[in-house]
Amino acid sequence: MGFSGGNDRGKYFANLGYYDEGGLAIRTFYKRYNFAFNGEYNINSWLKSESGMQFARADWRDQSLQNGESNYWGRMLSAPPTMRGYNENGELLLGRDASDGNPIYNIDKYKRKNQTDKFTLNQAFKVNLTKDLFIRVNGILMYDEGISESFNQDFRTGILSLTNPNTGWNRDRSSSSSFDRTTRQTYNAILNYTRSFSQKHNIDAMAGYEYFDAYNEGLAASGRLAPTDDFQDLQLTQNNVDQQTRGTDSYHSRERILSSFGRVNYDYSGKYLASFTVRRDGYSRLLGDNRFGVFPAFSVGWLMHHEDFMKSFNPWLSYLKLRGSWGRNGNVGGIGTYELQGAFGSQTAYAGTIGFLQTGVANPNLKWEKTNTTEVGADIGIFENKLNASIAIYNRITDDKIANVLLPTSSGVSSIRTNNGSMRNRGVELEATYRLVQSKDFNIQLGANASWNKNTILKLPFNGNENNRQGGQQIYDPKTGQLIWVGGFQEGQEWGEIFGFVSEGIIRTAEDLANYNKTDLAAGQVWFNGSAGRRVASPKIIAERKLTLAGGWLSTQLGDMKWKDIDNNDTIDTRDMVSLGRQLPRWTGGFNTSVGYKGLTLLARFDFGLGHIQQDFQQMWALASAQGEFNPTDLVKDTWTPENPSASLPRYVWADQLNTKNFDRPSSMFFVPSDYLAIREVTLSYSLPLSLIKKLKMSALNLSVTGQNLGYITHKMLNLPERTGAQNSAYTIPTQVIFGANVTF
């Protein structure tokens, strides 16, 4: 609800808001109350005051998980049809256990409270020094604090015992509480000069300075083994000689950013445009001389339709602009406040003495990640801007790219954040809108956009490997007859390729089985489901080499997958893997349309991705029966059986990861094209006639109903195709129906 008003001396705007949403997971919710007030007042002809205040309080409850988000959603989606939530008396049943059973059973045993308060106050003064020159100073104070409490009452974990009352229960009664506060201050000042000369030269120049400070502090405590379920009080947790369950922590951190910046805009006669900007930022998370970075940029534009030689095109050409730009941006995202200084952490006491171990390596040489972007483009409007279109071509090079690099286990530290080379992104962006019909009572408008992108690794730190390769694997190259390194990071190559085995059909008949004489060593490796499985060989090889189950071998059977032997050595191993595709879309974009008739408007919005592949891990996990107590997907009906010999998928067995790994390996069977068309939003709205709403003492009334995330057109094996890579089950993108009313008095 918003309020606004004012006069020639001052203006104000106030807003009250309330938001309440129940989550997809049971007992989860998010509630927010917010208030805002902004006002400006002309103290006199040369001094203006601008003030603002915002406050928001949020309460929420997250998922109470015992085995992670992916398992929570995945186990729920694949719950077996024999799983009962209630017994014949209407009493709740747990099922398998607290992790994979009925989530309703224990939900009231998990007590959770989360609350945040955010308060922002800003004050600015604008001083008009002359008609062309003004200075504006501004200060912003943001106060952000939150409290979280957690308490687990006794909850069921599994099957009960008739002899031990603690079997099947978790009686830890763990409790925790934390408080966090961040105070942020921002102060800036800008000097702005605007002037026109000779009615053709126009200049707009600005110079400024900004100071940012953020101070974070907090404390946390935890404990276990309280004597009762009735009170979630840390004082009741045990902490004596026999049971030391309590833990406490407090923390303080501060970071600062100093920035100076400037901009000059120039245009000549409204036809030739130029702009130059530069800023210098210093960030406290970096160290020494590396703290400061300078980031310039410039752009030029030419409004060709204003030229005299273009007048002959005026009957149909409404607008034509050619443009070009170059700019440098800086990034230090992800670096911890004190990470580059190194760290030592306390270890568990030994013989009463606490030791310290280096847990982070100092890296004072880390520099700003810098991205240089060159772009050229054109914008055009024709037939009185009935059709507008634009094209942009860009080349973006990122130097000193910040990344975590793995270190040898012998170093005692898992990784270090460093400047890890350079990468190029090239692409094209297209956009167009067309007013198909435009009249007083009826209009139709169409819009579309698309972008194409490709990345290439340009340079990596020298490490002695070919192309300074980091990571990767070896596969057989039929063109050269040699093993080559692929994947990982390599100079001159595109990042994001996925490698896997090629499925060549199913062993359907005894003749197929006799002809497929291969040794499958890949089946004996760990892939997705955490088990090495067993090596596999054809019945002929099993007999000839006297291989046995006790020796870790299984025989190929009817219904197994035939894997392509790339190097033709009758052995399936990692050398037979090939590039299956990219995990990043080559093309992304969308299109929209709106149709209006009098006060009625229909809006539809779609988006798409093309040129990438994805594995829906949940499909693979279910068809592999990786945890045999859960239900497969509907595709199990298309797996091979003697009664269904023409099925498209191999045989369905319990725990495929322990057997022939028909499913549990990266392959062309599950890494499928992830091209998709998403029905993102459809809205129907109606603005009531003015003659009617005046009787209701209103200025305007608009009613609407919106459907969001309505579905995909994509491969049958994928549920969320806009994700990339090997995607496990997770919090889904919800389909929503939203009813709205916008009232103006």
Side-chain angles (χ1 to χ4, degrees):
M1 183 180 296
F3 310 86
S4 61
N7 54 35
D8 58 345
R9 293 297 301 273
K11 300 177 182 178
Y12 73 89
F13 173 80
N15 174 271
L16 287 172
Y18 174 70
Y19 182 86
D20 184 359
E21 181 179 6
L24 293 181
I26 55 174
R27 301 290 198 276
T28 61
F29 66 90
Y30 181 83
K31 293 181 180 180
R32 184 183 67 239
Y33 318 83
N34 61 277
F35 166 76
F37 177 85
N38 295 293
E40 61 181 52
Y41 182 71
N42 297 315
I43 300 173
N44 53 45
S45 61
W46 55 269
L47 179 61
K48 178 191 287 188
S49 171
E50 301 171 356
S51 305
M53 179 181 68
Q54 296 86 36
F55 174 77
R57 164 166 287 185
D59 299 279
W60 75 91
R61 174 171 176 157
D62 289 329
Q63 301 172 72
S64 302
L65 305 177
Q66 296 297 316
N67 63 346
E69 180 179 289
S70 61
N71 283 339
Y72 179 91
W73 294 101
R75 300 297 199 264
M76 179 171 59
L77 291 170
S78 56
T82 54
M83 177 180 173
R84 293 185 299 154
Y86 300 86
N87 62 18
E88 61 273 13
N89 298 321
E91 300 168 329
L92 282 169
L93 294 174
L94 175 65
R96 184 178 185 271
D97 54 33
S99 297
D100 298 333
N102 185 357
I104 303 176
Y105 192 93
N106 286 319
I107 192 64
D108 290 327
K109 304 298 184 181
Y110 307 137
K111 307 299 181 182
R112 302 291 186 266
K113 178 184 177 182
N114 301 284
Q115 185 180 89
T116 58
D117 291 323
K118 300 177 185 291
F119 177 75
T120 304
L121 181 67
N122 63 280
Q123 176 63 51
F125 292 98
K126 181 181 178 183
V127 182
N128 295 316
L129 302 176
T130 70
K131 68 173 185 177
D132 301 323
L133 182 67
F134 72 82
I135 184 171
R136 185 178 186 273
V137 294
N138 183 43
I140 303 172
L141 175 66
M142 181 176 181
Y143 184 82
D144 183 355
E145 70 175 33
I147 185 170
S148 297
E149 291 186 280
S150 170
F151 177 56
N152 289 344
Q153 296 177 333
D154 289 353
F155 64 90
R156 282 279 307 279
T157 59
I159 299 174
L160 300 178
S161 169
L162 296 175
T163 58
N164 186 341
N166 292 320
T167 299
W169 285 91
N170 181 308
R171 302 191 188 276
D172 268 6
R173 296 181 181 137
S174 59
S175 182
S176 65
S177 182
S178 64
F179 175 82
D180 181 89
R181 174 189 294 157
T182 301
T183 305
R184 300 178 178 89
Q185 303 175 71
T186 303
Y187 305 99
N188 57 55
I190 62 170
L191 184 67
N192 199 96
Y193 177 74
T194 304
R195 185 70 183 273
S196 296
F197 303 91
S198 304
Q199 297 182 343
K200 290 187 177 182
H201 303 277
N202 303 291
I203 294 178
D204 182 0
M206 182 269 291
Y209 179 84
E210 184 172 88
Y211 168 85
F212 171 82
D213 175 273
Y215 178 66
N216 176 247
E217 58 185 328
L219 54 89
S222 62
R224 298 185 297 111
L225 303 180
T228 175
D229 270 353
D230 297 331
F231 305 101
Q232 60 178 77
D233 193 334
L234 283 168
Q235 184 178 357
L236 299 177
T237 59
Q238 290 194 22
N239 204 57
N240 51 47
V241 175
D242 298 323
Q243 294 284 352
Q244 298 181 15
T245 72
R246 295 180 187 171
T248 58
D249 182 33
S250 64
Y251 51 88
H252 308 264
S253 67
R254 166 162 267 142
E255 60 179 324
R256 292 190 174 106
I257 302 175
L258 294 176
S259 302
S260 53
F261 45 86
R263 183 200 69 230
V264 177
N265 293 333
Y266 170 78
D267 81 76
Y268 176 76
S269 194
K271 292 188 292 186
Y272 311 110
L273 313 175
S275 178
F276 174 77
T277 64
V278 64
R279 64 181 299 131
R280 183 175 185 263
D281 295 306
Y283 197 15
S284 62
R285 295 193 181 193
L286 298 173
L287 302 179
D289 295 336
N290 293 322
R291 282 182 169 169
F292 284 89
V294 178
F295 308 104
F298 68 86
S299 63
V300 293
W302 182 16
L303 297 173
M304 290 184 64
H305 63 285
H306 287 322
E307 297 288 355
D308 292 339
F309 63 81
M310 297 292 292
K311 289 183 178 180
S312 59
F313 299 97
N314 284 349
W316 60 271
L317 181 64
S318 309
Y319 182 87
L320 178 60
K321 178 182 179 181
L322 303 182
R323 50 188 168 87
S325 64
W326 175 90
R328 174 179 295 168
N329 295 322
N331 175 50
V332 288
I335 300 174
T337 306
Y338 304 117
E339 176 185 338
L340 302 185
Q341 299 178 25
F344 288 84
S346 60
Q347 305 302 302
T348 304
Y350 176 75
T353 302
I354 295 178
F356 292 86
L357 180 69
Q358 187 175 21
T359 55
V361 178
N363 185 11
N365 296 319
L366 190 77
K367 299 179 289 187
W368 282 87
E369 177 181 295
K370 297 174 287 291
T371 298
N372 301 284
T373 303
T374 303
E375 181 176 303
V376 294
D379 306 306
I380 188 172
I382 59 177
F383 305 124
E384 297 181 346
N385 289 317
K386 191 174 183 179
L387 173 62
N388 290 278
S390 68
I391 181 173
I393 303 171
Y394 64 87
N395 181 52
R396 182 175 298 125
I397 297 177
T398 300
D399 296 316
D400 298 320
K401 187 168 180 62
I402 295 176
N404 280 314
V405 175
L406 298 178
L407 297 177
T409 306
S410 58
S411 69
V413 179
S414 60
S415 64
I416 184 172
R417 200 183 303 271
T418 185
N419 296 113
N420 193 39
S422 302
M423 174 177 283
R424 170 188 285 131
N425 276 277
R426 285 177 171 167
V428 178
E429 296 179 344
L430 307 168
E431 186 174 359
T433 58
Y434 181 52
R435 289 185 284 118
L436 183 63
V437 178
Q438 186 73 44
S439 65
K440 179 182 177 181
D441 294 329
F442 184 56
N443 64 81
I444 301 176
Q445 180 169 301
L446 307 174
N449 66 84
S451 62
W452 177 91
N453 177 267
K454 180 179 181 180
N455 70 74
T456 305
I457 298 172
L458 300 179
K459 187 177 181 181
L460 294 167
F462 177 78
N463 60 14
N465 294 329
E466 184 180 5
N467 299 325
N468 291 313
R469 173 185 50 81
Q470 297 176 1
Q473 66 180 90
Q474 282 187 305
I475 64 171
Y476 180 78
D477 180 16
K479 294 180 180 179
T480 62
Q482 303 292 324
L483 293 178
I484 59 172
W485 284 98
V486 296
F489 299 117
Q490 299 191 55
E491 292 177 356
Q493 295 192 11
E494 184 175 9
W495 178 86
E497 268 192 298
I498 294 176
F499 293 84
F501 299 93
V502 177
S503 54
E504 288 196 307
I506 298 170
I507 301 174
R508 304 182 187 277
T509 65
E511 183 180 1
D512 290 341
L513 184 61
N515 292 333
Y516 186 71
N517 284 303
K518 307 288 183 182
T519 301
D520 188 354
L521 300 181
Q525 294 185 236
V526 177
W527 294 106
F528 295 111
N529 289 313
S531 298
R534 299 175 185 273
R535 292 163 293 178
V536 179
S538 68
K540 180 180 179 181
I541 295 175
I542 290 282
E544 290 176 350
R545 301 182 185 177
K546 299 180 180 180
L547 304 176
T548 65
L549 179 64
W553 289 88
L554 291 173
S555 177
T556 306
Q557 300 181 34
L558 290 174
D560 282 341
M561 181 61 68
K562 293 187 289 186
W563 302 107
K564 189 171 184 177
D565 185 9
I566 302 297
D567 54 4
N568 295 313
N569 64 352
D570 293 332
T571 300
I572 305 300
D573 55 25
T574 56
R575 293 172 294 186
D576 296 300
M577 298 174 76
V578 302
S579 175
L580 300 176
R582 296 177 301 273
Q583 59 181 297
L584 299 178
R586 184 68 84 207
W587 283 94
T588 57
F591 54 92
N592 60 79
T593 180
S594 65
V595 180
Y597 177 70
K598 294 187 176 180
L600 191 65
T601 302
L602 176 65
L603 170 68
R605 185 166 58 90
F606 308 84
D607 55 73
F608 65 86
L610 302 172
H612 64 302
I613 64 171
Q614 182 198 145
Q615 173 181 257
D616 190 325
F617 179 87
Q618 187 69 20
Q619 285 275 21
M620 186 274 293
W621 180 84
L623 290 172
S625 189
Q627 193 167 338
E629 300 169 351
F630 291 88
N631 206 26
T633 64
D634 192 59
L635 289 176
V636 73
K637 299 172 184 177
D638 196 26
T639 57
W640 185 94
T641 65
E643 297 76 27
N644 188 24
S646 57
S648 64
L649 297 170
R651 61 193 177 99
Y652 175 75
V653 298
W654 176 82
D656 173 72
Q657 74 273 19
L658 301 177
N659 292 286
T660 54
K661 288 187 180 286
N662 284 314
F663 298 100
D664 181 31
R665 70 176 74 192
S667 75
S668 57
M669 180 168 42
F670 285 105
F671 275 105
V672 296
S674 193
D675 302 339
Y676 69 88
L677 175 66
I679 307 171
R680 190 62 65 196
E681 180 179 322
V682 177
T683 297
L684 180 65
S685 64
Y686 181 63
S687 294
L688 273 69
L690 191 61
S691 58
L692 176 61
I693 61 175
K694 278 185 176 181
K695 298 177 182 179
L696 303 174
K697 307 300 183 183
M698 299 177 184
S699 300
L701 175 59
N702 180 273
L703 304 175
S704 65
V705 58
T706 299
Q708 292 183 342
N709 306 313
L710 299 179
Y712 301 97
I713 300 174
T714 189
H715 196 282
K716 66 179 181 180
M717 279 195 175
L718 303 178
N719 290 304
L720 292 174
E722 58 190 299
R723 292 179 173 173
T724 59
Q727 291 298 324
N728 202 344
S729 57
Y731 195 94
T732 188
I733 301 175
T735 297
Q736 295 181 308
V737 178
I738 303 170
F739 298 92
N742 193 334
V743 184
T744 304
F745 293 94

